[in-house]
Amino acid sequence: MTDHAAHPLDDPAADPFALAAEAAAQIAAITGVEKHDIALTLGSGWAKAADLIGETTHTIAATDVAGFSKPALSGHVGTLRSVLLPSGKRALVIGARTHYYEGHGVRRVVHSVRTAAAAGASIMILTNGAGGIKEHWTPGTPVLISDHLNLTADSPLEGATFIDLTDLYSQRLRAIAREIDPGLDEGVYVQNRGPHYETPAEVQMAKAMGGHIVGMSTALEAIAARQSGMEVLGLSLITNLGAGISPEPLSHGEVIQAGKDAEPVISALLARIVAAL
């Protein structure tokens, strides 16, 4: 599945929803779980939440499931986990995220989300590590996503498919998160194409456009989740201040380290939020 040329979603005639249904059926067959209620994509810094939300009953290599590819990014674990929550509900934890900058096309970016919907999930939790534009956000700060600016010049919607994104990042779910942690701030997420970090001028452009968080994921996935009828909760871990706001040059190593340092706290926070859903 890792060969770009051989991937089924690379065929323009392929039905991405049929492939998602096939993937969901495979997950159900492997796990014996007919329906998953909640899905979580755990980005940089968030992976430990999978161990805290409940009992992992099955771990699947993502590449064993139709349409999934091996993650290209260090920090993503490349597995799908079925987790039994204390409430009796089931969570599908996605540790295999395809980023837009990998050049595989938007269908592959959102395949995990469409698979989660086909598996029965009605809530999609999308997390990431990202740069902050608000100067008082220190590395390690978790932030709710209130809205987004999609600057990829792409969309997971194909043809004359018109989807309302007014309440894309659910006010209801954000209110639940703030009940768990009243100190949670929120902001507008800006998805850029990547993989380069933004220039200082691009960060200022994002700020002028109303953005507060800059990153390379999530927005396209959120659109696909809404198309599939899911309610979306978005959370960013601020791993660094954006270029030109931070006095230090940006490095991927520092981003990964910030995620590791914050992981115990933010994972526990996410586990408490999941328990309240």
Side-chain angles (χ1 to χ4, degrees):
M1 287 295 179
T2 57
D3 181 1
H4 176 64
H7 197 282
L9 287 176
D10 292 345
D11 179 359
D15 180 349
F17 295 96
L19 189 64
E22 180 185 345
Q26 290 174 348
I27 292 169
I30 293 169
T31 63
V33 177
E34 183 178 341
K35 178 179 182 290
H36 287 82
D37 306 283
I38 298 170
L40 303 91
T41 296
L42 299 181
S44 300
W46 297 93
K48 291 292 186 207
D51 298 326
L52 302 178
I53 60 174
E55 178 192 356
T56 296
T57 58
H58 300 84
T59 301
I60 308 167
T63 49
D64 290 342
V65 178
F68 282 84
S69 305
K70 182 179 179 180
L73 183 64
S74 172
H76 291 260
V77 293
T79 60
L80 305 172
R81 293 168 64 169
S82 181
V83 180
L84 178 62
L85 304 178
S87 64
K89 293 181 179 180
R90 279 278 175 175
L92 180 66
V93 178
I94 300 163
R97 174 180 254 160
T98 297
H99 285 79
Y100 188 78
Y101 58 71
E102 294 175 45
H104 296 316
V106 72
R107 282 180 166 189
R108 286 171 69 173
V109 170
V110 303
H111 177 64
S112 60
V113 170
R114 287 174 171 159
T115 297
S122 58
I123 292 176
M124 186 76 230
I125 300 176
L126 298 169
T127 67
N128 58 61
I133 295 178
K134 293 186 180 182
E135 294 185 15
H136 65 276
W137 286 346
T138 55
T141 301
V143 178
L144 289 168
I145 299 174
S146 60
D147 205 342
H148 78 228
L149 293 167
N150 172 17
L151 299 187
T152 66
D154 212 337
S155 173
L157 308 183
E158 300 178 25
T161 306
F162 306 109
I163 302 294
D164 177 35
L165 303 180
T166 302
D167 186 33
L168 176 55
Y169 298 91
S170 167
Q171 294 186 52
R172 184 186 79 86
L173 297 182
R174 282 186 280 141
I176 291 172
R178 280 192 293 267
E179 287 175 9
I180 301 301
D181 182 356
L184 273 174
D185 203 352
E186 65 178 33
V188 174
Y189 183 88
V190 183
Q191 179 175 356
N192 292 297
R193 295 171 66 97
H196 53 274
Y197 292 116
E198 301 77 17
T199 68
E202 287 168 342
V203 169
Q204 290 304 311
M205 177 188 73
K207 182 178 180 181
M209 294 170 71
H212 308 103
I213 311 160
V214 288
M216 304 173 194
S217 67
T218 303
L220 295 171
E221 296 163 329
I223 295 168
R226 170 51 59 85
Q227 181 188 20
S228 295
M230 289 192 282
E231 202 173 5
V232 178
L233 177 66
L235 286 154
S236 290
L237 167 66
I238 303 303
T239 55
N240 57 277
L241 291 176
I245 295 175
S246 169
E248 302 297 328
L250 304 184
S251 85
H252 183 62
E254 289 180 3
V255 168
I256 294 297
Q257 188 59 50
K260 287 180 179 178
D261 292 344
E263 197 163 45
V265 173
I266 63 171
S267 294
L269 167 65
L270 184 54
R272 293 198 301 272
I273 293 171
V274 170
L277 297 179

